[in-house]
Amino acid sequence: MLHFLKETNFNLKHTNLIKMKTAIIFFILLFSITNGFAEGLNSNASYIKEKFPTEYEQTIRKHAIEKWETDYEMIVYMINNQSDALFELIKEFKSENTNIAFRAIQKWSFEGYENFNIEKFKNLEIFGLEQLMSLHCDWEMVKYEYDNQVKAKNSF
């Protein structure tokens, strides 16, 4: 009987230890995940904010606030994603795909800005960050559309 009690006591201690380890791991993961979203602007967004503060306020930041209102984590998340997509689009852009970029910007212009964006785009001499920052569009979707259309164009 004494042996059975010792074995049961060991099993209880072992079970409690596993529960405690599981709880600690859970809290570490929870902290890591929530902390990852709350870090702030990434390097691309920070660069845009620093180098083009007016355009940043009037475009990327403005549209993120309009969409997410007081959900600040989502505002930062959208600003970061929009900034990354814009940088990637500029990096991957090829002049032979100008019409594809134009149609993507036209298609994914924010409501009320389609004509504004069309006129601005027609006057672009360089497909660069400084020139594109004044456009009001969903850069993630522009990049997605551009990539898909270029891939399709090159597939036949």
Side-chain angles (χ1 to χ4, degrees), residues 45-78:
S46 294
Y47 180 85
I48 291 171
K49 182 180 179 183
E50 180 185 326
K51 299 294 182 186
F52 309 102
T54 303
E55 293 84 355
Y56 166 81
E57 291 288 331
Q58 293 174 352
T59 59
I60 292 177
R61 184 176 184 272
K62 173 187 174 187
H63 295 296
I65 291 171
E66 285 175 356
K67 181 170 184 168
W68 296 105
E69 298 177 349
T70 58
D71 188 341
Y72 303 113
E73 286 180 321
M74 289 307 298
I75 291 169
V76 170
Y77 180 79
M78 182 174 171

Coordinates of all heavy atoms in Angstrom, one line a residue, residues 45-78:
A45 N 8.0 51.5 -43.4 CA 7.0 52.5 -43.0 C 7.7 53.7 -42.3 O 7.3 54.8 -42.5 CB 6.0 51.9 -42.0
S46 N 8.7 53.4 -41.4 CA 9.4 54.5 -40.7 C 10.2 55.3 -41.7 O 10.2 56.6 -41.6 CB 10.4 53.9 -39.8 OG 9.7 53.2 -38.7
Y47 N 10.7 54.7 -42.8 CA 11.4 55.5 -43.8 C 10.5 56.4 -44.5 O 10.8 57.6 -44.7 CB 12.1 54.5 -44.8 CG 12.8 55.3 -45.9 CD1 14.2 55.7 -45.7 CD2 12.2 55.5 -47.1 CE1 14.8 56.3 -46.7 CE2 12.9 56.2 -48.1 CZ 14.2 56.6 -47.9 OH 14.9 57.3 -48.9
I48 N 9.3 55.9 -44.9 CA 8.3 56.7 -45.6 C 7.9 57.9 -44.7 O 7.8 59.0 -45.1 CB 7.1 55.9 -46.0 CG1 7.5 55.0 -47.2 CG2 5.9 56.8 -46.4 CD1 6.5 53.9 -47.5
K49 N 7.6 57.6 -43.4 CA 7.1 58.6 -42.5 C 8.2 59.7 -42.3 O 7.9 60.9 -42.2 CB 6.8 57.9 -41.1 CG 6.3 58.9 -40.1 CD 6.0 58.2 -38.8 CE 5.5 59.2 -37.8 NZ 5.3 58.6 -36.5
E50 N 9.5 59.3 -42.3 CA 10.5 60.3 -42.1 C 10.8 61.1 -43.3 O 11.0 62.3 -43.2 CB 11.8 59.5 -41.6 CG 13.0 60.4 -41.4 CD 14.3 59.7 -41.1 OE1 14.2 58.6 -40.5 OE2 15.3 60.2 -41.5
K51 N 10.9 60.4 -44.5 CA 11.3 61.1 -45.7 C 10.1 61.9 -46.4 O 10.4 62.8 -47.1 CB 11.9 60.1 -46.7 CG 13.2 59.5 -46.2 CD 14.3 60.5 -46.0 CE 15.6 59.8 -45.5 NZ 16.6 60.7 -45.2
F52 N 8.9 61.4 -46.2 CA 7.8 61.9 -46.9 C 6.6 62.1 -45.9 O 5.6 61.5 -46.0 CB 7.3 61.0 -48.1 CG 8.4 60.7 -49.0 CD1 9.0 59.4 -48.9 CD2 8.9 61.6 -49.9 CE1 10.0 59.1 -49.8 CE2 9.9 61.2 -50.8 CZ 10.5 60.0 -50.7
P53 N 6.8 62.9 -44.9 CA 5.8 63.0 -43.8 C 4.4 63.5 -44.2 O 3.4 63.0 -43.8 CB 6.5 64.0 -42.8 CG 7.5 64.8 -43.6 CD 8.0 63.8 -44.7
T54 N 4.4 64.4 -45.2 CA 3.1 65.0 -45.6 C 2.3 63.9 -46.4 O 1.2 63.6 -46.1 CB 3.3 66.2 -46.5 OG1 4.0 67.2 -45.7 CG2 1.9 66.8 -46.9
E55 N 3.0 63.3 -47.3 CA 2.4 62.2 -48.2 C 2.0 61.0 -47.3 O 0.9 60.4 -47.5 CB 3.3 61.8 -49.3 CG 3.6 62.8 -50.3 CD 4.7 63.8 -50.0 OE1 5.2 63.8 -48.8 OE2 5.0 64.7 -50.8
Y56 N 2.9 60.7 -46.3 CA 2.6 59.6 -45.4 C 1.3 59.9 -44.7 O 0.4 59.0 -44.6 CB 3.7 59.4 -44.4 CG 3.4 58.5 -43.2 CD1 3.4 57.2 -43.3 CD2 3.1 59.1 -42.0 CE1 3.2 56.4 -42.2 CE2 2.8 58.3 -40.9 CZ 2.8 56.9 -41.0 OH 2.5 56.2 -39.9
E57 N 1.1 61.1 -44.1 CA -0.1 61.5 -43.4 C -1.3 61.5 -44.2 O -2.4 61.1 -43.8 CB 0.1 62.8 -42.7 CG 1.1 62.9 -41.6 CD 0.7 62.2 -40.3 OE1 -0.5 62.2 -40.1 OE2 1.6 61.8 -39.6
Q58 N -1.2 61.9 -45.5 CA -2.3 62.1 -46.4 C -2.7 60.9 -47.1 O -3.8 60.8 -47.7 CB -2.0 63.2 -47.4 CG -1.9 64.6 -46.7 CD -1.5 65.7 -47.7 OE1 -1.1 65.4 -48.9 NE2 -1.5 66.9 -47.3
T59 N -1.9 59.8 -47.1 CA -2.2 58.6 -47.9 C -2.2 57.4 -47.0 O -3.3 57.0 -46.5 CB -1.3 58.4 -49.1 OG1 0.1 58.3 -48.6 CG2 -1.4 59.6 -50.1
I60 N -1.1 56.8 -46.8 CA -1.0 55.5 -46.1 C -1.6 55.5 -44.7 O -2.5 54.7 -44.4 CB 0.4 55.0 -46.1 CG1 0.9 54.6 -47.5 CG2 0.5 53.8 -45.2 CD1 2.3 54.2 -47.6
R61 N -1.2 56.5 -43.9 CA -1.7 56.6 -42.5 C -3.2 57.0 -42.6 O -4.0 56.4 -41.8 CB -1.0 57.7 -41.8 CG -1.4 57.8 -40.3 CD -0.5 58.8 -39.6 NE -0.8 58.9 -38.2 CZ -1.7 59.7 -37.6 NH1 -2.4 60.5 -38.4 NH2 -1.9 59.7 -36.3
K62 N -3.6 57.9 -43.4 CA -5.0 58.3 -43.5 C -5.9 57.2 -43.8 O -7.0 57.0 -43.1 CB -5.1 59.4 -44.6 CG -6.6 59.8 -44.8 CD -6.6 60.7 -46.0 CE -8.1 61.0 -46.4 NZ -8.3 61.7 -47.6
H63 N -5.6 56.4 -44.8 CA -6.5 55.3 -45.2 C -6.5 54.1 -44.2 O -7.5 53.5 -44.0 CB -6.1 54.8 -46.6 CG -6.3 55.8 -47.6 ND1 -7.5 56.3 -47.9 CD2 -5.4 56.5 -48.4 CE1 -7.4 57.3 -48.9 NE2 -6.1 57.4 -49.2
A64 N -5.4 53.9 -43.5 CA -5.4 52.9 -42.4 C -6.3 53.4 -41.2 O -7.1 52.6 -40.7 CB -3.9 52.7 -41.9
I65 N -6.3 54.6 -40.9 CA -7.1 55.2 -39.8 C -8.6 55.1 -40.2 O -9.5 54.7 -39.4 CB -6.7 56.6 -39.4 CG1 -5.3 56.5 -38.7 CG2 -7.7 57.2 -38.5 CD1 -4.7 57.9 -38.4
E66 N -8.9 55.5 -41.5 CA -10.2 55.4 -42.0 C -10.8 54.0 -41.9 O -12.0 53.8 -41.6 CB -10.3 55.9 -43.4 CG -10.2 57.4 -43.6 CD -10.1 57.9 -45.0 OE1 -10.1 57.0 -46.0 OE2 -10.1 59.1 -45.2
K67 N -10.0 53.0 -42.2 CA -10.4 51.6 -42.2 C -10.6 51.1 -40.8 O -11.5 50.4 -40.5 CB -9.5 50.7 -43.0 CG -9.9 49.3 -43.1 CD -9.2 48.5 -44.1 CE -9.8 47.1 -44.1 NZ -9.3 46.3 -45.2
W68 N -9.6 51.3 -39.9 CA -9.5 50.7 -38.6 C -9.9 51.5 -37.4 O -9.9 51.1 -36.3 CB -8.1 50.0 -38.4 CG -7.9 49.0 -39.4 CD1 -7.1 49.0 -40.5 CD2 -8.5 47.7 -39.5 NE1 -7.1 47.9 -41.2 CE2 -8.0 47.0 -40.6 CE3 -9.4 47.0 -38.6 CZ2 -8.3 45.7 -40.9 CZ3 -9.7 45.7 -39.0 CH2 -9.2 45.1 -40.1
E69 N -10.1 52.8 -37.7 CA -10.6 53.8 -36.6 C -9.7 53.7 -35.4 O -8.6 54.3 -35.4 CB -12.0 53.6 -36.3 CG -12.9 53.8 -37.5 CD -14.4 53.5 -37.2 OE1 -14.7 53.0 -36.2 OE2 -15.2 53.9 -38.1
T70 N -10.1 53.1 -34.3 CA -9.3 53.1 -33.1 C -8.7 51.7 -32.8 O -8.2 51.5 -31.7 CB -10.2 53.5 -31.9 OG1 -11.3 52.6 -31.8 CG2 -10.7 54.9 -32.0
D71 N -8.6 50.9 -33.7 CA -7.9 49.6 -33.6 C -6.4 49.8 -34.0 O -6.0 49.6 -35.1 CB -8.5 48.5 -34.4 CG -7.9 47.1 -34.1 OD1 -6.8 47.1 -33.5 OD2 -8.6 46.1 -34.4
Y72 N -5.7 50.3 -33.0 CA -4.3 50.8 -33.3 C -3.4 49.8 -33.8 O -2.5 50.0 -34.7 CB -3.8 51.6 -32.1 CG -4.7 52.7 -31.7 CD1 -5.4 52.7 -30.5 CD2 -4.9 53.8 -32.5 CE1 -6.2 53.7 -30.1 CE2 -5.8 54.8 -32.2 CZ -6.4 54.7 -30.9 OH -7.3 55.7 -30.6
E73 N -3.5 48.6 -33.3 CA -2.6 47.5 -33.8 C -2.9 47.2 -35.2 O -1.9 47.0 -36.0 CB -2.9 46.2 -33.0 CG -2.3 46.2 -31.6 CD -2.6 44.9 -30.8 OE1 -3.7 44.4 -30.9 OE2 -1.7 44.5 -30.1
M74 N -4.2 47.2 -35.7 CA -4.5 47.0 -37.1 C -4.0 48.2 -37.9 O -3.7 48.0 -39.1 CB -6.0 46.7 -37.2 CG -6.4 45.3 -36.7 SD -5.4 44.0 -37.3 CE -5.7 44.1 -39.1
I75 N -4.1 49.4 -37.4 CA -3.6 50.6 -38.1 C -2.1 50.4 -38.4 O -1.7 50.5 -39.6 CB -3.9 51.9 -37.4 CG1 -5.4 52.2 -37.3 CG2 -3.1 53.0 -38.0 CD1 -5.8 53.3 -36.4
V76 N -1.4 50.0 -37.4 CA 0.1 49.8 -37.6 C 0.3 48.7 -38.6 O 1.2 48.8 -39.5 CB 0.8 49.6 -36.3 CG1 2.2 49.1 -36.5 CG2 0.7 50.8 -35.4
Y77 N -0.4 47.6 -38.4 CA -0.3 46.4 -39.3 C -0.6 46.8 -40.8 O 0.2 46.5 -41.7 CB -1.3 45.4 -38.8 CG -1.3 44.1 -39.6 CD1 -0.3 43.1 -39.4 CD2 -2.3 43.8 -40.6 CE1 -0.3 42.0 -40.2 CE2 -2.3 42.7 -41.3 CZ -1.3 41.7 -41.1 OH -1.3 40.6 -41.8
M78 N -1.6 47.6 -41.0 CA -1.9 48.0 -42.4 C -0.8 49.0 -42.9 O -0.4 48.8 -44.1 CB -3.3 48.7 -42.4 CG -3.7 49.1 -43.8 SD -5.4 49.7 -43.8 CE -5.5 50.3 -45.5

